[in-house]
Each structure stands twice: as C-alpha cells, then as structure tokens.
Amino acid sequence: MAYKPSASAVRSSEHINTITNVSSGLMRPLYTSCSEHYHAQQTNNGSRFLCLNELPRMPSPSPTRSPARRADGESPFLRLPTEIRLQIYSLLVLPRNPKDLLPSFEKVHSSTQDYYDYDKKQHGTDHSAIASLTRPTLLIRTIDPDRYKKRFPELRPEPERNKYSVRCDRFRSACRKTTYHCVNNPRIEDQLAILRANKQTHAEAAELLYGSYTFDFDTHVEAIIPFLSDLTPFARSCIKSIRFVKRALAYEKEFDRCEWSSALRYLTSSSSSIALRRLDLGIVAGRPGEHGWDRIATYSATDFTLLRQLEKMEWMQYLLEIQGLQELQVSAVVEHCPPGTNSMAMAEYIRFSASVEGGFRDYLTKQLVAV
C-alpha cells in the first residue's frame, strides 16, 4: 500500500523513532482559536486539535508505489540530518523580513489605562520597536468591543475562539464581550503546508514555530488565558517566551488585580503545560515630570523582601511562583503622574516606580532566574 501522510501531530522525544501522539486534524489560520478545530471535528471523534493552517484535502493515495520511497516507507526528507531539517523549517515558519512583523495598531477602548500600546514605534521612525528577526514577537491584543460587534453581529456566527468580557466605557464600569487577535500576523500562512506532511515533521516544525516567537500581551493580561487555553498542551509546552505589562499600581481596580492573579496562576499551573524560559516584564511607572525621580530614595533588593508582604503588593507573590527562567527582562514603562505631595499613596507609587529598573529588577532576578 502506498504511503499515506497522516495529519496527526506528535512530539518527538530524545530519539526520532520514539514518538508520542498528541493531536491530529485539519489546520486553520495561524494563531486562531484551536477550539474552532475542536468544534468542527467534534462530531467525528471528539478530540482536540492543534490548528495551524487551513489546507486542502490530501490527494487520494496512488495505487502504485512512488520510486522516491524506500521499501520501509520512510520519507527521504526525514533521512536528512536534524540540523538541516530545522533550517528548512525555519525558512518556512519564521519571518524573513522585519516588515512582516510590523503591527497594524488600532485604538482599543476596552480599558482607559491601556488604550494604546507602549513602545509602539521606534523613536523617529515608523517601525515597530519590537520588529526583530533575531527574536520575532507576536502581538496578542484584545479586539475593541465595538469592532468585535461589527465583525460578528447577531446574524453572523461568533468565532469559536474563547470569548471574554472587558471594561469598555470611560469609567471602566460596564463589561462587554470580545476576544483576542494578533495585530502583526506574519506572512507565513502559505508555507505552513509542511505541518501537514506527517507526524514527525508536524512535531518538529510546530515546536520550532511556537518556541521561536515571543508572545506579547502588553497590558492586555485578560487575553492570556483565552489565547493559551485555545492551544493544545503540546503547543503550550513549546512556548518559551512571553511578555506582559503590569498596569499602574496607583490606578488599578479590583478587576485589574483579579485579571493579573488569574493570568499568573494559569502560567504557573502544572496543568497548563507551560515551561517558560524567558520573561519580559514591563511595569507602568509613574514619574512626575522629566526629572521627577532625581531626589527620590529608591528601594533596594533587600527592601522588597519585606515589601512583598505589604497590602497592595500581593501581585508580586504570583510572579515569584514562576520558576526555571533562564532570562528575565524588567523594564519601566514610564508615564506622567501627579507629584508625590498629593497623597501618601502617590508618593509610595513614585518611589516604587523609581526602583523598577534597580532594586526591583535585582530582587526578581535573584528569585526567578535559575543559576
């Protein structure tokens, strides 16, 4: 019988010939909801699938054996050294031009605190500050509820990806339903047919695909759980790098704290199958004027051992549950704030802000980065 390519996705172990089946099925557009595939195939076998691209049906097997196949049925491509196969995969699933990663930003009214993306552009240019081929980044953002409603009216079927509610009015008092999207989807969809070849190539290419990108959520931490839970455990286990931003402590509400704690608990839960190796953490830091930190006494790394136990600093506890990091980046996302003379709470916030790239970064690095 002729070789029939399978759509099952597997993950290779230490040896190529040792393979574990983790998912299978048709493919849909990159970084869309894997639950789309789940619902589409639920009537067949009820299994959950890793959706990477929508591809045409495979041709019917030929009644004659292809001369390119060995007697044992192994593909000539799989007989290539692993290093060469990985180079081929990288040409297919990774961007070739930095312009392919430039985002299409839009104003998001879901929160008055993050209606724009921090570090949106490089200074004096139209290029994204994170459009890099050495460390490609995918920007996952919440869709504006107004745009979501126009794209998916009541008469049109809603997307199968996970949906959630966000605070969307001026005073952040009302909730509206929406979902997430990638604002800089790279131009690699046409090359993802390699993922449909067979089990082994799917596992190898998918691991390179998810492991090479940094998934950036910025302040849209409410999108972390919906996006990651739409992936299969195999896909989540391949993710190695994530970026997100902690909203300004001086202005956060109770739902901000709930979104933060839920997202961090999901990232650190063993049932999520996520093993991060790199974390890029941004902290919205308030500075009263250009020289507002010049005479501010900053906290040291030792001070944060005590500060973590104080009220309103419990958000640090969830960060400390992240283990096994090999690289940690902590940066202050600076924005203007009132002077510290207005209130004691604002003065404390300014002092903490001035310490983000000093004592706070040193403290987290000591706690989280594996030696």
Side-chain angles (χ1 to χ4, degrees):
M1 180 180 294
Y3 174 80
K4 181 179 180 181
S6 173
S8 298
V10 300
R11 187 179 183 185
S12 301
S13 61
E14 296 181 358
H15 300 285
I16 293 179
N17 293 328
T18 303
I19 298 176
T20 303
N21 189 1
V22 294
S23 64
S24 63
L26 299 172
M27 306 292 182
R28 288 185 179 274
L30 179 63
Y31 306 116
T32 59
S33 166
C34 283
S35 62
E36 290 184 39
H37 201 83
Y38 169 78
H39 291 292
Q41 299 293 327
Q42 191 173 16
T43 57
N44 293 335
N45 52 23
S47 59
R48 188 179 178 92
F49 303 96
L50 174 64
C51 303
L52 293 173
N53 194 30
E54 183 176 353
L55 297 173
R57 294 179 60 87
M58 297 296 291
S60 301
S62 172
T64 59
R65 180 182 299 273
S66 172
R69 304 290 184 183
R70 280 175 43 180
D72 57 4
E74 183 181 3
S75 168
F77 177 75
L78 297 180
R79 296 200 299 270
L80 294 174
T82 304
E83 294 79 4
I84 296 180
R85 292 203 306 273
L86 291 177
Q87 292 180 15
I88 296 174
Y89 297 145
S90 65
L91 294 175
L92 298 175
V93 303
L94 299 181
R96 300 184 182 183
N97 193 316
K99 293 183 179 180
D100 295 339
L101 289 172
L102 291 180
S104 174
F105 282 101
E106 62 177 280
K107 187 173 181 179
V108 178
H109 298 274
S110 61
S111 170
T112 58
Q113 298 299 322
D114 54 330
Y115 65 89
Y116 64 91
D117 282 280
Y118 295 107
D119 299 330
K120 175 179 176 181
K121 302 289 184 181
Q122 294 180 10
H123 180 68
T125 71
D126 292 330
H127 299 288
S128 170
I130 50 179
S132 171
L133 292 182
T134 57
R135 183 165 286 158
T137 301
L138 296 178
L139 310 178
I140 310 299
R141 301 291 186 264
T142 294
I143 296 179
D144 185 272
D146 292 331
R147 180 185 172 195
Y148 173 83
K149 186 175 182 179
K150 293 178 181 179
R151 290 180 59 187
F152 305 101
E154 296 181 358
L155 299 178
R156 184 174 180 178
E158 294 182 348
E160 294 294 341
R161 68 183 65 178
N162 273 329
K163 296 173 285 291
Y164 50 93
S165 297
V166 293
R167 303 279 177 162
C168 58
D169 66 341
R170 179 180 177 85
F171 299 102
R172 308 179 75 191
S173 59
C175 292
R176 293 180 63 184
K177 181 174 60 176
T178 185
T179 189
Y180 60 85
H181 68 151
C182 180
V183 300
N184 67 331
N185 204 16
R187 303 172 182 176
I188 61 174
E189 287 83 357
D190 295 338
Q191 289 80 35
L192 292 180
I194 186 67
L195 296 167
R196 187 69 183 277
N198 57 42
K199 299 177 181 180
Q200 184 172 326
T201 56
H202 187 275
E204 294 173 347
E207 187 167 4
L208 179 66
L209 173 66
Y210 286 102
S212 299
Y213 287 93
T214 295
F215 294 88
D216 179 2
F217 297 90
D218 204 73
T219 54
H220 300 238
V221 293
E222 70 276 359
I224 292 179
I225 297 180
F227 174 79
L228 294 177
S229 60
D230 276 339
L231 303 177
T232 62
F234 171 64
R236 289 195 298 267
S237 67
C238 296
I239 294 178
K240 303 303 179 187
S241 179
I242 283 182
R243 177 185 180 269
F244 50 81
V245 176
K246 183 72 177 72
R247 292 170 179 165
L249 297 176
Y251 310 112
E252 70 174 359
K253 306 296 183 182
E254 183 62 31
F255 56 83
D256 292 318
R257 291 188 284 270
C258 290
E259 290 171 351
W260 174 266
S261 61
S262 298
L264 269 293
R265 284 174 177 173
Y266 186 87
L267 288 175
T268 56
S269 174
S270 58
S271 61
S272 301
S273 305
I274 300 174
L276 293 180
R277 294 295 178 263
R278 183 180 186 274
L279 174 63
D280 191 341
L281 174 65
I283 306 291
V284 178
R287 183 169 60 190
E290 184 178 356
H291 305 289
W293 292 344
D294 289 352
R295 299 183 180 181
I296 300 296
T298 59
Y299 294 114
S300 66
T302 305
D303 294 332
F304 280 101
T305 305
L306 300 176
L307 289 174
R308 56 178 287 190
Q309 304 175 8
L310 300 180
E311 186 180 0
K312 295 185 178 181
M313 297 298 286
E314 64 274 3
W315 62 273
M316 292 174 51
Q317 305 293 335
Y318 304 109
L319 273 177
L320 298 178
E321 295 180 9
I322 301 176
Q323 300 296 327
L325 291 180
Q326 297 176 355
E327 184 178 356
L328 173 66
Q329 296 291 332
V330 180
S331 58
V333 182
V334 182
E335 64 178 20
H336 178 74
C337 73
T341 55
N342 288 14
S343 67
M344 181 63 67
M346 184 59 65
E348 293 176 356
Y349 171 60
I350 293 174
R351 185 178 181 184
F352 166 76
S353 300
S355 309
V356 167
E357 296 185 348
F360 184 65
R361 176 166 56 189
D362 295 340
Y363 173 75
L364 283 185
T365 300
K366 182 179 180 180
Q367 296 293 323
L368 302 182
V369 179
V371 179

